[in-house]
Amino acid sequence: MEKKTLWTRNYILVTTASTLGAAGAIAGGFALSFLVFDETQSTLASALIVAIQLIPYVILPLFVAPLMDRLPRKLFLVLGDVINGVLYAGMGVWLIFFPFSYVGYLGLSLLLACLGSIDELAYTSIYPDLIPNGFEQKGYAVSAMLYPILKVIMMPLGAILLDTLGVSLLLIAQGVLSLLAALTESFIQTERKPIRLERYGLREWTGDIKEAAAYLKNERGLLRIYGYMALTNGVANGYAPIMVAFFRTMPGLTATMYALFSVAEFLGRTVGSAVQYRVKIPPKKKFGVIFSIYQIYETMDMILLWLPYPLMLINRALCGFLGNNSAILRNAAVQRYLPEHLRARVNAFDGMLYTAAGSILVLAVGALGEWLDYRLCVTICGAFAMLACWILIWGGRKQIRPIFEQVADGQDTPDQAES
């Protein structure tokens, strides 16, 4: 009997393409963040770039997702990386011969963000099709481990390349990596239903949106998961300015000490991904594991700023470990649960909800920090997320359990699967 494995041809290709694209994006993004500030000497100008990049993630998926559920998703993945590569390489060439234009870069950032939102949706929707049945947990463990490792490698490397090569050549290199990612993705082989675009207009698009809305209306478990994740991620994103203010104003704490949080979280996330790759959790136990992780995670947030600094680092490492474990289990279960022909549309709704809730809650948490002690602010936010967990996750356990307890067709028993 042939031994089954996660590392099929398709999975190797998508992982290689993800590595190439992410490595270039991390180094290029690092260089561009310095370029904008160096040229404008304005934090507001830098913030405006970040803000404008959020717009496509709220709006564009709604319009693209119906087409993505009809056409081969690989088309969006490959074409997006090709255009992305050309634009970044073109930007690098431009900066060799012409001065930096803030207005021009603002427009280009919006275009790149549009491509990014489409590429992210295409990747999220095609990825489950490239993981062999029974290996979903391992597949998402590899995916979750990839970005943190690359970030730790590429951030310092990007700083070195920025000083030695300059922004222009670094952007050209990013463009080349995106084109290599597109070339790699072009060899992926997926089975998709025939194209259904003989007559596709506003009526068909509206029908596709209504179909996805009707599906979600009857899927209370999914809606509760999406709602909780939007709230807890939005609150967590709102912590960032609070943390910066706390480390700036609390005697004995420094910006460097705050930066070490990232190292602690990276270590925790890496170990978490490794555990999920090696340990197979029985479907019947997954909901209990997920709910327990959420409880511990929110508790860690509530007590974070009341701890001595060494325990803060342990806190963040534990949260990185728990966060990656829950994300891997959730993504593997939810993406397997979604009907293949609706996956892009439902993922689009999920992404739009995350972005919208995140934008609102970041402002709300920031405003709360103007009135309350920073430690109390974070504790209240953690308590709010804990309450949301009990109401949405535990309160909807009857609808949510089947999502986590499903068994994929052809799933292997532990002795059959790859060790």
Side-chain angles (χ1 to χ4, degrees), residues 32 107 195 222 255 263:
L32 285 172
I195 296 174
L222 281 177
V263 178

Side-chain angles (χ1 to χ4, degrees), residues 190-348:
T190 58
E191 295 180 5
R192 286 282 286 160
K193 55 187 175 296
I195 296 174
R196 299 180 287 120
L197 283 179
E198 295 82 5
R199 293 181 58 190
Y200 192 81
L202 181 59
R203 179 181 299 178
E204 288 75 17
W205 178 85
T206 304
D208 284 347
I209 295 297
K210 288 181 177 179
E211 182 186 12
Y215 169 78
L216 280 170
K217 183 179 179 181
N218 294 320
E219 289 292 341
R220 301 293 179 85
L222 281 177
L223 289 174
R224 285 176 175 271
I225 292 172
Y226 291 158
Y228 169 68
M229 294 310 303
L231 289 175
T232 189
N233 283 338
V235 168
N237 290 335
Y239 290 162
I242 300 295
M243 294 291 188
V244 171
F246 179 76
F247 273 78
R248 277 298 191 190
T249 57
M250 182 61 64
L253 298 180
T254 65
T256 301
M257 293 169 74
Y258 174 60
L260 289 176
F261 273 19
S262 297
V263 178
E265 286 189 13
F266 158 74
L267 293 174
R269 288 180 178 276
T270 303
V271 174
S273 297
V275 168
Q276 285 295 310
Y277 187 83
R278 301 299 302 179
V279 178
K280 195 173 186 67
I281 299 176
K284 291 293 183 182
K285 294 183 178 180
K286 287 183 179 179
F287 176 80
V289 171
I290 282 282
F291 185 72
S292 299
I293 286 175
Y294 291 160
Q295 295 298 295
I296 299 172
Y297 195 103
E298 306 302 357
T299 301
M300 289 295 101
D301 276 356
M302 290 169 64
I303 66 174
L304 173 62
L305 297 187
W306 303 95
L307 298 172
Y309 181 71
L311 292 183
M312 285 187 186
L313 290 178
I314 295 174
N315 182 302
R316 288 301 89 186
L318 179 59
C319 283
F321 174 81
L322 295 173
N324 246 23
N325 272 276
S326 65
I328 290 164
L329 290 173
R330 185 185 69 254
N331 286 330
V334 168
Q335 295 302 322
R336 169 61 63 183
Y337 183 79
L338 293 177
E340 192 275 338
H341 71 284
L342 288 172
R343 194 180 293 142
R345 279 168 282 173
V346 176
N347 283 330

Side-chain angles (χ1 to χ4, degrees), residues 2-313:
E2 184 180 354
K3 186 178 181 180
K4 294 184 178 180
T5 177
L6 167 67
W7 297 96
T8 61
R9 179 178 182 273
N10 276 346
Y11 191 77
I12 292 173
L13 288 171
V14 73
T15 303
T16 302
S18 299
T19 303
L20 291 169
I26 293 168
F30 176 85
L32 285 172
S33 64
F34 278 87
L35 173 65
V36 173
F37 183 76
D38 289 343
E39 294 290 342
T40 63
Q41 294 298 307
S42 169
T43 55
L44 178 60
S46 300
L48 185 57
I49 294 289
V50 175
I52 200 172
Q53 289 175 341
L54 292 176
I55 296 174
Y57 287 86
V58 179
I59 300 172
L60 199 58
L62 179 67
F63 296 96
V64 176
L67 287 173
M68 201 172 286
D69 277 335
R70 288 174 175 263
L71 291 169
R73 291 171 187 141
K74 188 177 83 169
L75 173 68
F76 293 89
L77 207 60
V78 174
L79 191 59
D81 278 333
V82 168
I83 299 174
N84 190 74
V86 171
L87 288 176
Y88 272 108
M91 193 192 318
V93 173
W94 172 276
L95 291 174
I96 292 175
F97 298 102
F98 304 99
F100 174 81
S101 168
Y102 178 76
V103 175
Y105 180 60
L106 200 64
L108 188 61
S109 292
L110 184 59
L111 179 57
L112 289 169
C114 289
L115 290 170
S117 67
I118 295 172
D119 185 73
E120 182 177 308
L121 182 60
Y123 177 82
T124 303
S125 301
I126 197 175
Y127 193 72
D129 297 330
L130 307 179
I131 302 175
N133 285 338
F135 289 93
E136 290 81 10
Q137 185 179 322
K138 283 190 174 185
Y140 279 98
V142 173
S143 176
M145 192 186 303
L146 193 61
Y147 188 81
I149 291 176
L150 286 173
K151 191 171 183 179
V152 168
I153 295 172
M154 295 307 300
M155 287 288 277
L157 182 59
I160 295 171
L161 294 176
L162 180 63
D163 291 335
T164 56
L165 300 179
V167 175
S168 301
L169 293 179
L170 194 51
L171 292 177
I172 292 173
Q174 180 181 353
V176 171
L177 287 175
S178 291
L179 293 173
L180 288 174
L183 179 63
T184 304
E185 291 160 350
S186 69
F187 291 103
I188 292 174
Q189 296 176 351
T190 58
E191 295 180 5
R192 286 282 286 160
K193 55 187 175 296
I195 296 174
R196 299 180 287 120
L197 283 179
E198 295 82 5
R199 293 181 58 190
Y200 192 81
L202 181 59
R203 179 181 299 178
E204 288 75 17
W205 178 85
T206 304
D208 284 347
I209 295 297
K210 288 181 177 179
E211 182 186 12
Y215 169 78
L216 280 170
K217 183 179 179 181
N218 294 320
E219 289 292 341
R220 301 293 179 85
L222 281 177
L223 289 174
R224 285 176 175 271
I225 292 172
Y226 291 158
Y228 169 68
M229 294 310 303
L231 289 175
T232 189
N233 283 338
V235 168
N237 290 335
Y239 290 162
I242 300 295
M243 294 291 188
V244 171
F246 179 76
F247 273 78
R248 277 298 191 190
T249 57
M250 182 61 64
L253 298 180
T254 65
T256 301
M257 293 169 74
Y258 174 60
L260 289 176
F261 273 19
S262 297
V263 178
E265 286 189 13
F266 158 74
L267 293 174
R269 288 180 178 276
T270 303
V271 174
S273 297
V275 168
Q276 285 295 310
Y277 187 83
R278 301 299 302 179
V279 178
K280 195 173 186 67
I281 299 176
K284 291 293 183 182
K285 294 183 178 180
K286 287 183 179 179
F287 176 80
V289 171
I290 282 282
F291 185 72
S292 299
I293 286 175
Y294 291 160
Q295 295 298 295
I296 299 172
Y297 195 103
E298 306 302 357
T299 301
M300 289 295 101
D301 276 356
M302 290 169 64
I303 66 174
L304 173 62
L305 297 187
W306 303 95
L307 298 172
Y309 181 71
L311 292 183
M312 285 187 186
L313 290 178

